[in-house]
């Protein structure tokens, strides 16, 4: 059995103190889930850490927070434990080390993605075509051959999804899984929690996004990023349907579904990513773990650049700049696909599993008596 990390031991110490106090029992999903336990195995702590949305309410309300000798800082400790869980369950296993230098990895992968795409396009394409205006049906594929665009997208996206699925499978097993038959009610509750980001709402009054005051700021920016991302995925999906079902090749008209989904999705992604980065800059640093900030900033910057280059591509698609902008945009997208399993993006999968487990536990368990 692998030795327990210092973060796990510290999380257990803090949870045992919180379980004796229980002042924050109504603050978020974490503390009612904590109250169902009298002891905290590593699997329980990993589950609680991924259930935590980092709203920081417990830190600002806690009488034992620093500078108290107990030094209770659940948001920062759980942030570090979440990252350890991402690394622990990464597939293949050696890639777990990528989380230690995630910001550097994101930067290098983005640069490599752009470079390799530009090199391939330049090697395969006549410069007279690459740097001249391309209009009409199939203009994108005159710049980057259809087989190359689809091949790179399939390989990178397929790998990213498979690696994330393998990580989710490992996480599911390590945190105890869920026995019994599928129950629609807990699944529906977890889905609503995910789609509304209810746990970033602080029960309606908001979370402590910047300081001890309550705010819905981070929730709204996160929702903009989430729904912008989903709209961009819808743009790609409808574009594929247009191409393969109806034979309508890109670029499509501005008021077509793929372009409208992509345009509004890109705008929301830029607003969400920029807003979250700004919030991280101006927030109270006390309940924040500096160990995870580099990777979080890098991934938000990558998402912002993907959206920005997509919108720029729309703006210049009838000019000679389209070829280079298309290669840059796709290079960033391919890099993102490869990075998904080794970045903060996995939190969506692990947190979804944690919310589903929590919804089931609430229907089957009773709070344990307070410790101490």
């Amino acid at each position: 059995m692998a030795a327990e990390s210092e973060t796990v031991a510290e999380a257990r110490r803090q949870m045992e103190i919180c379980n004796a106090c229980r002042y924050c029992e109504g603050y978020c999903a974490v503390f009612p889930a904590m109250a169902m336990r009298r002891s905290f195995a590593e699997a329980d702590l990993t589950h609680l850490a991924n259930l935590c949305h980092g709203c920081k309410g417990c830190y600002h309300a806690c009488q034992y927070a620093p500078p108290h000798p107990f030094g209770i800082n659940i948001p920062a400790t759980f942030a570090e434990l979440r990252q350890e869980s991402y690394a622990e369950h990464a597939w293949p296993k050696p890639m777990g080390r990528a989380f230690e230098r995630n910001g550097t990895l994101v930067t290098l992968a983005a640069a490599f993605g752009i470079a390799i795409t530009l090199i391939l396009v330049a090697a395969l394409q006549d410069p007279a075509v690459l740097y001249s205006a391309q209009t009409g049906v199939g203009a994108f594929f005159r710049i980057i051959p259809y087989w190359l665009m689809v091949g790179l997208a399939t390989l990178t996206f397929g790998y990213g999804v498979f690696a994330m699925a393998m990580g989710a499978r490992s996480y599911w097993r390590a945190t105890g899984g869920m026995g019994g038959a599928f129950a629609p009610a807990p699944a529906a509750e977890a889905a609503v929690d995910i789609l509304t980001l209810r746990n970033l709402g602080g029960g309606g009054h908001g979370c402590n996004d910047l300081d001890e005051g309550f705010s819905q700021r981070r929730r709204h920016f996160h929702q903009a990023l989430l729904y912008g991302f989903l709209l961009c995925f819808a743009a790609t999906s409808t574009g594929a349907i247009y191409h393969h079902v109806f034979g309508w090749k890109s670029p499509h008209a501005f008021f077509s579904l793929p372009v409208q989904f992509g345009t509004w999705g890109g705008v929301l992604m830029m607003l969400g990513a920029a807003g979250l980065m700004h919030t991280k800059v101006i927030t109270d640093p006390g309940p924040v773990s500096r160990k995870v900030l580099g990777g979080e900033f890098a991934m938000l910057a990558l998402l912002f650049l993907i959206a920005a280059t997509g919108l720029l591509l729309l703006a210049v698609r009838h000019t000679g700049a389209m070829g280079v902008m298309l290669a840059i945009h796709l290079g960033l997208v391919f890099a993102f696909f490869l990075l998904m399993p080794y970045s903060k993006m996995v939190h969506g999968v692990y947190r979804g599993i944690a919310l589903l487990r929590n919804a089931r536990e609430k229907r089957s368990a009773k709070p344990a008596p307070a410790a101490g």
Side-chain angles (χ1 to χ4, degrees):
M1 181 180 295
E4 186 175 270
S5 73
E6 292 181 6
T7 307
V8 171
E10 176 62 13
R12 179 180 295 111
R13 181 190 74 84
Q14 294 190 29
M15 276 288 95
E16 287 172 349
I17 294 172
C18 291
N19 205 21
C21 174
R22 297 198 180 182
Y23 179 80
C24 299
E25 194 166 354
Y27 271 52
C28 69
V30 171
F31 295 98
M34 171 202 74
M36 298 178 189
R37 294 160 168 82
R38 287 296 302 271
S39 61
F40 301 95
E42 183 172 349
D44 296 308
L45 293 167
T46 300
H47 165 64
L48 294 174
N50 281 282
L51 191 60
C52 171
H53 287 60
C55 78
K56 307 170 190 171
C58 60
Y59 175 84
H60 289 287
C62 184
Q63 61 185 320
Y64 302 124
H68 191 280
F70 284 177
I72 302 300
N73 192 340
I74 296 300
T77 302
F78 274 2
E80 294 177 11
L81 185 54
R82 279 195 298 276
Q83 180 143 307
E84 284 191 6
S85 73
Y86 304 158
E88 173 65 24
H89 302 294
W91 183 94
K93 202 72 173 177
M95 288 301 294
R97 291 194 293 272
F99 286 97
E100 297 174 8
R101 295 289 184 270
N102 194 255
T104 303
L105 176 68
V106 171
T107 304
L108 291 175
F112 177 79
I114 294 172
I116 195 66
T117 307
L118 284 170
I119 290 169
L120 286 173
V121 171
L124 293 170
Q125 193 54 269
D126 183 346
V129 175
L130 178 60
Y131 299 110
S132 62
Q134 300 294 320
T135 60
V137 176
F140 288 155
F141 304 132
R142 290 198 292 274
I143 299 295
I144 301 179
Y146 176 79
W147 64 266
L148 179 60
M149 191 184 299
V150 173
L152 288 174
T154 301
L155 287 173
T156 54
F157 182 69
Y159 174 82
V161 170
F162 181 77
M164 287 184 76
M166 293 296 289
R169 176 173 174 265
S170 174
Y171 171 80
W172 176 282
R173 291 180 171 181
T175 54
M178 282 169 254
F182 172 78
E189 179 181 335
V192 170
D193 287 344
I194 293 167
L195 293 173
T196 63
L197 297 174
R198 182 177 63 84
N199 287 287
L200 284 176
H205 55 274
C207 292
N208 301 109
D209 295 329
L210 303 181
D211 48 34
E212 68 276 4
F214 294 106
S215 166
Q216 297 279 354
R217 178 190 184 97
R218 194 160 67 97
R219 183 187 191 186
H220 292 158
F221 283 135
H222 205 311
Q223 285 175 324
L225 185 58
L226 169 63
Y227 285 104
F229 184 87
L230 292 176
L231 281 173
C232 289
F233 184 79
T236 302
S237 301
T238 53
I241 293 172
Y242 275 24
H243 185 101
H244 295 288
V245 177
F246 300 109
W248 303 338
K249 297 182 180 180
S250 60
H252 303 292
F254 180 74
F255 289 104
S256 65
L257 284 178
V259 175
Q260 285 297 298
F261 284 152
T263 299
W264 293 109
V267 170
L268 286 174
M269 281 182 64
M270 289 179 66
L271 287 173
L276 289 173
M277 284 191 285
H278 184 248
T279 300
K280 289 179 183 296
V281 170
I282 65 175
T283 191
D284 178 0
V288 175
S289 170
R290 297 184 64 85
K291 291 182 180 180
V292 305
L293 276 180
E296 292 181 352
F297 272 112
M299 181 50 62
L300 286 170
L302 178 57
L303 289 168
F304 180 91
L305 288 174
I306 289 172
T309 54
L311 292 174
L312 283 172
L313 177 60
L314 176 65
V316 304
R317 62 179 178 166
H318 298 309
T319 73
M322 182 186 76
V324 173
M325 187 55 63
L326 178 62
I328 292 173
H329 176 65
L330 290 180
L332 290 170
V333 171
F334 298 153
F336 169 74
F337 288 161
L338 290 175
L339 287 167
M340 285 194 306
Y342 316 113
S343 70
K344 182 67 181 293
M345 291 302 296
V346 300
H347 87 284
V349 178
Y350 290 12
R351 185 159 289 158
I353 294 173
L355 286 168
L356 177 58
R357 179 179 177 182
N358 183 61
R360 295 189 63 166
E361 283 184 349
K362 287 192 297 185
R363 287 167 169 76
S364 60
K366 296 180 180 179

